[in-house]
Amino acid sequence: SQTIHQWPATLVQPVGSPLSLECTVEGTSNPNLYWYRQAAGRGLQLLFYSIGIDQISSEVPQNLSASRPQDRQFILSSKKLLLSDSGFYLCAWSVSGNSGELFFGEGSRLTVL
Amino acid sequence: AQSVSQHNHHVILSEAASLELGCNYSYGGTVNLFWYVQYPGQHLQLLLKYFSGDPLVKGIKGFEAEFIKSKFSFNLRKPSVQWSDTAEYFCAVNVDSNYQLIWGAGTKLIIKP
């Protein structure tokens, strides 16, 4: 069966420090991969999605970037965190194609101080 | 622009009460429709989905939803809720088989024992 792992679960970082959140999927090949940000009372905001290795689409201009160095690995990064980057970040995958059915990781809570 | 509206941000019910959570979307083309649920401390997971066919779809844990195309709605229902249904519920729409899901803001449901 397919599984998705996301880490770290919680992270406290100072302003200006770098960020790396990692997500890996097991049990499937060539998945679509997504990074979302979940804000209370505002639903989910798509940050990045990827349909293949080194194929990244950015939905919202911001202080973050994403990379997909391997088929089932998706990384969310920042060179210098801002206070406004604090939030809850979710990784998700879907089968190749675009049905819209997503499978989510457990999320990473980022606090920037 | 496409959007998804969930009418109630917070709903409080007693056990055994009937539930209906509203979801309306603004898009006139082909849609795939989803309800996701996030139980306290758990990751987002799919509750039910509609792609085509019978507009009344049944999901896990006794939930169902009805797609009414003329009303651009996909309301979630359950005849008799349980305390374990306490969670946050998100409606989401995939338009024209795009990669992006458009999310509602979510409804926090609290069931009083």
Side-chain angles (χ1 to χ4, degrees):
Chain A
S1 63
Q2 301 90 357
T3 57
I4 178 168
H5 302 283
Q6 183 181 341
W7 71 93
T10 59
L11 194 59
V12 180
Q13 293 284 103
V15 168
S17 64
L19 170 73
S20 181
L21 300 179
E22 191 163 341
C23 173
T24 59
V25 179
E26 297 176 359
T28 188
S29 297
N30 195 31
N32 295 333
L33 296 171
Y34 307 81
W35 278 110
Y36 279 91
R37 180 171 173 173
Q38 183 179 8
R42 295 171 59 184
L44 276 71
Q45 179 187 37
L46 180 64
L47 302 176
F48 302 93
Y49 71 88
S50 170
I51 62 172
I53 294 174
D54 294 330
Q55 299 179 66
I56 311 292
S57 295
S58 174
E59 293 297 314
V60 181
Q62 60 212 315
N63 185 42
L64 302 170
S65 62
S67 61
R68 185 172 177 174
Q70 301 180 45
D71 180 45
R72 292 170 290 171
Q73 183 184 28
F74 205 26
I75 298 171
L76 183 67
S77 303
S78 174
K79 292 182 179 178
K80 289 186 177 181
L81 283 168
L82 305 172
L83 286 174
S84 56
D85 292 323
S86 294
F88 191 60
Y89 293 86
L90 289 166
C91 182
W93 73 273
S94 67
V95 298
S96 182
N98 43 23
S99 69
E101 182 175 354
L102 300 178
F103 301 90
F104 286 88
E106 295 186 355
S108 297
R109 174 74 61 188
L110 170 65
T111 302
V112 183
L113 301 174
Chain B
Q2 301 95 2
S3 65
V4 176
S5 297
Q6 290 184 242
H7 311 302
N8 305 99
H9 293 299
H10 293 88
V11 174
I12 301 175
L13 295 172
S14 298
E15 274 193 310
S18 64
L19 170 71
E20 182 160 4
L21 301 182
C23 173
N24 285 90
Y25 63 93
S26 61
Y27 185 69
T30 302
V31 293
N32 296 329
L33 300 156
F34 305 84
W35 277 97
Y36 284 84
V37 60
Q38 188 169 31
Y39 297 104
Q42 297 188 28
H43 61 276
L44 266 169
Q45 58 186 287
L46 183 68
L47 192 59
L48 48 77
K49 62 187 178 185
Y50 172 81
F51 286 177
S52 62
D54 188 344
L56 183 62
V57 294
K58 296 188 183 297
I60 60 173
K61 302 186 180 184
F63 285 90
E64 64 179 30
E66 184 175 12
F67 171 47
I68 302 179
K69 189 174 182 179
S70 61
K71 294 185 178 181
F72 301 92
S73 70
F74 191 55
N75 292 354
L76 181 70
R77 300 195 294 249
K78 186 171 183 178
S80 177
V81 293
Q82 301 172 312
W83 176 79
S84 58
D85 293 325
T86 294
E88 190 161 15
Y89 294 81
F90 294 91
C91 181
V93 176
N94 172 260
V95 301
D96 287 338
S97 298
N98 198 335
Y99 290 105
Q100 180 165 175
L101 276 179
I102 303 167
W103 293 82
T107 297
K108 287 189 177 178
L109 175 65
I110 296 173
I111 306 300
K112 298 183 294 182

